[in-house]
Amino acid sequence: MADRYWGKLEFPAALIDAEVTEALQEEGVEMDKLDPSEHADDYAWIEDGIFTLEDSEARYGCWEDLENLLRLKGIPFDRESSGYYEFIPERVIFRPGANGTPPRDLVFLLCDGAPIVEVEKIRNLLAQGAEAVTAYLDDHFPLYPPLGDYVKEG
């Protein structure tokens, strides 16, 4: 099944409401079985305040409806998907806007789990100086807060 491959979605568990719960249940998540000690492939769990959903046969390695709901509700999430032939592995980072800043919805293509950087582009920028490289990296690979920053201490 070329349209189904591994994906992992993570977001703060404290932000799960009735609507998100319903969407998770539609994805087959059993909300009463989220113990991290039972973690295996194709499982959902909560650990350190982060909800994780992992599925080796997620449609295109993602959960399109669930991810759109999280964006709509302003719930930060990270998603990583493996690739399959013409589908390149990717990492999606969504962070809601705050204090007048727009949300960040970033997609990084991956190779061996790290974002792909255009070597020729970096070489050309190096000729212009370190500031040009920094500007490029800030624009294409901006910093974002880790999901743990959205976990509220009990």
Side-chain angles (χ1 to χ4, degrees):
M1 293 189 301
D3 63 340
R4 297 194 176 272
Y5 42 92
W6 179 85
K8 180 169 81 172
L9 179 69
E10 298 177 302
F11 58 91
L15 301 178
I16 298 174
D17 62 11
E19 194 174 9
V20 173
T21 296
E22 183 178 331
L24 288 169
Q25 289 171 331
E26 288 174 8
E27 294 292 345
V29 174
E30 297 179 50
M31 297 302 289
D32 59 338
K33 296 182 179 178
L34 299 175
D35 184 351
S37 67
E38 298 175 14
H39 165 60
D41 286 346
D42 301 339
Y43 189 69
W45 69 95
I46 296 174
E47 189 169 20
D48 298 327
I50 301 294
F51 173 88
T52 301
L53 173 59
E54 191 170 349
D55 188 346
S56 63
E57 292 189 7
R59 185 165 163 70
Y60 296 106
C62 65
W63 297 266
E64 188 174 358
D65 292 340
L66 177 57
E67 291 174 38
N68 287 336
L69 176 63
L70 296 175
R71 285 182 183 96
L72 183 67
K73 297 178 93 44
I75 297 175
F77 68 86
D78 294 352
R79 192 247 306 148
E80 188 169 336
S81 302
S82 65
Y84 195 83
Y85 291 104
E86 72 271 18
F87 297 102
I88 297 173
E90 67 180 14
R91 180 176 299 132
V92 174
I93 306 293
F94 174 78
R95 298 296 183 268
N99 303 320
T101 62
R104 290 186 179 242
D105 200 355
L106 310 168
V107 178
F108 301 112
L109 300 180
L110 303 177
C111 181
D112 293 331
I116 295 173
V117 179
E118 296 177 57
V119 174
E120 189 63 29
K121 179 73 173 174
I122 297 295
R123 284 187 176 135
N124 292 336
L125 289 169
L126 279 172
Q128 300 171 36
E131 296 81 18
V133 175
T134 300
Y136 171 80
L137 293 174
D138 287 346
D139 186 44
H140 289 83
F141 303 95
L143 297 176
Y144 51 86
L147 285 177
D149 287 3
Y150 294 90
V151 175
K152 301 199 180 356
E153 296 297 324

